[in-house]
C-alpha cells in the first residue's frame, strides 16, 4: 500500500527549538501534504507540495520533498507549546482520484 | 463558512443498537469522505462520495452504511457494530474529488460496548 512512514514516532523539544519530522512513501505521487491533529480532534491542512517542487514555506513551516528518495520533511521553527500535536504526511496514489494515504504520524510535544 | 461539522461528538452504543453519525458542510464542496481512525494510528479511508454518488467503498463491512442525502450532508448509519469498531470517525470534504486539500470535521468518538 501507499501508506507512508514517519520518523520519529514521537518528538519532545523545548519551546523555541526547531522540530523536524520526516516522511517516506512507497510509490510515485502527484503531491504530498502535511496535516496536523490535536489530540482526538479533526485534521487541519498545513501545506501541500507538488511533485515538481523541492521546497515550500508557510510561516514557521518549511517542507522539502525529494522524489528520488521518496521522502519529505517538515520543519517547524521557533516552536511553541501550541504546536503540540500529531503531524501526518499524506500522499495521493497518482490515480487522480485524490484518495489520501496518511503516514503513521509524529507525535510532537513542545515543553514550555 | 469553512467548517465541517459532525454530530454527535461522542457516542456510546451497544452491539444491537442502530445509530447514525452526521456530517455537514456549507462550502459548496462536491466530494465528501468518511475516515476511521484508531488510537495512535493514521486515518483510514472508508467511503468517498462525489456529487452525492458513492464513488469509493474501501471494503468496509456492511454494518456501516453511508448515505448522502444532498450535497451538504453525509450520514453514516451504524448497525450491529462490534467492539473493535470503536474509533474516531472523521468526515472530510473537498471542492471536487481530485481537489487536493481536504477539510476535516472534529470527529465523532464512538465506543461500542
Amino acid at each position: 500500500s501507499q501508506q507512508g512512514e514517519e520518523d520519529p514516532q514521537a518528538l519532545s523539544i523545548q519551546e523555541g527549538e526547531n522540530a523536524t519530522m520526516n516522511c517516506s512513501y512507497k510509490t510515485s505521487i502527484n503531491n504530498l501534504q502535511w496535516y496536523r491533529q490535536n489530540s482526538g480532534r479533526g485534521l487541519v491542512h498545513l501545506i501541500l507540495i507538488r511533485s515538481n517542487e523541492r521546497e515550500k514555506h508557510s510561516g514557521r513551516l518549511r517542507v522539502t520533498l525529494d522524489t528520488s528518495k521518496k521522502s519529505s520533511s517538515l520543519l517547524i521553527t521557533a516552536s511553541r507549546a501550541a504546536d503540540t500535536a500529531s503531524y501526518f504526511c499524506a500522499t495521493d496514489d497518482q490515480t487522480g482520484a485524490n484518495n489520501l494515504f496518511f503516514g503513521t504520524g509524529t507525535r510532537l510535544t513542545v515543553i514550555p | 463558512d469553512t467548517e465541517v461539522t459532525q454530530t454527535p461528538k461522542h457516542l456510546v452504543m451497544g452491539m444491537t443498537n442502530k445509530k447514525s453519525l452526521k456530517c455537514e458542510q456549507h462550502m459548496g464542496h462536491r466530494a465528501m469522505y468518511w475516515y476511521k481512525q484508531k488510537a495512535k494510528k493514521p486515518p483510514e479511508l472508508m467511503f468517498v462520495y462525489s456529487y452525492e454518488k458513492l464513488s469509493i467503498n474501501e471494503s468496509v463491512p456492511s454494518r456501516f452504511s453511508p448515505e448522502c442525502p444532498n450535497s451538504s450532508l453525509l450520514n453514516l448509519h451504524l448497525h450491529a457494530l462490534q467492539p473493535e469498531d470503536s474509533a474516531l470517525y472523521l468526515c472530510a470534504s473537498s471542492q471536487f474529488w481530485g481537489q487536493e486539500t481536504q477539510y476535516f470535521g472534529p470527529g465523532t468518538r464512538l465506543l461500542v460496548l
Side-chain angles (χ1 to χ4, degrees):
Chain A
S1 86
Q2 173 64 311
Q3 185 183 68
E5 289 193 9
E6 292 187 57
D7 164 59
Q9 287 187 357
L11 179 60
S12 186
I13 59 174
Q14 295 288 331
E15 203 166 29
E17 293 180 338
N18 295 342
T20 300
M21 48 207 90
N22 304 295
C23 167
S24 59
Y25 56 92
K26 295 178 182 174
T27 68
S28 297
I29 60 172
N30 291 311
N31 61 70
L32 184 144
Q33 304 179 53
W34 285 89
Y35 285 80
R36 166 201 165 115
Q37 183 178 35
N38 284 26
S39 181
R41 303 292 290 170
L43 283 79
V44 176
H45 179 260
L46 294 176
I47 197 165
L48 179 151
I49 186 166
R50 301 196 183 281
S51 59
N52 62 353
E53 296 176 309
R54 291 296 165 258
E55 188 171 313
K56 203 161 183 180
H57 297 254
S58 176
R60 294 185 295 114
L61 306 180
R62 173 177 167 255
V63 169
T64 62
L65 179 63
D66 187 335
T67 53
S68 66
K69 295 181 179 176
K70 293 188 170 60
S71 68
S72 175
S73 67
L74 171 67
L75 168 68
I76 304 174
T77 60
S79 63
R80 305 166 182 167
D83 294 328
T84 295
S86 291
Y87 292 82
F88 293 94
C89 65
T91 56
D92 63 353
D93 59 2
Q94 268 204 336
T95 65
N98 193 36
N99 292 339
L100 287 183
F101 296 90
F102 287 88
T104 48
T106 293
R107 174 70 191 169
L108 173 66
T109 301
V110 181
I111 302 166
Chain B
D1 185 357
T2 58
E3 193 179 18
V4 176
T5 59
Q6 288 187 246
T7 56
K9 285 189 170 58
H10 302 276
L11 180 61
V12 179
M13 60 186 289
M15 290 190 282
T16 59
N17 291 158
K18 281 185 184 182
K19 296 285 185 184
S20 296
L21 309 185
K22 296 186 184 303
C23 173
E24 192 166 0
Q25 56 87 14
H26 294 288
M27 294 179 277
H29 289 175
R30 304 314 300 266
M32 297 184 77
Y33 312 81
W34 280 116
Y35 289 86
K36 174 182 177 179
Q37 186 179 25
K38 301 283 276 184
K40 298 185 180 179
K41 297 289 187 182
E44 293 181 351
L45 183 65
M46 300 174 72
F47 302 105
V48 179
Y49 272 83
S50 177
Y51 287 88
E52 296 105 73
K53 286 188 168 50
L54 183 62
S55 300
I56 292 279
N57 175 343
E58 290 286 359
S59 303
V60 179
S62 60
R63 57 186 185 268
F64 295 91
S65 174
E67 179 198 18
C68 192
N70 61 55
S71 59
S72 299
L73 293 174
L74 186 65
N75 298 323
L76 186 62
H77 303 297
L78 314 172
H79 175 53
L81 294 193
Q82 304 295 310
E84 60 264 27
D85 296 322
S86 298
L88 181 68
Y89 287 84
L90 293 163
C91 173
S93 71
S94 62
Q95 189 170 9
F96 303 109
W97 189 28
Q99 181 72 27
E100 299 98 346
T101 300
Q102 293 186 15
Y103 295 82
F104 283 80
T108 293
R109 175 75 60 189
L110 174 67
L111 176 62
V112 182
L113 300 176

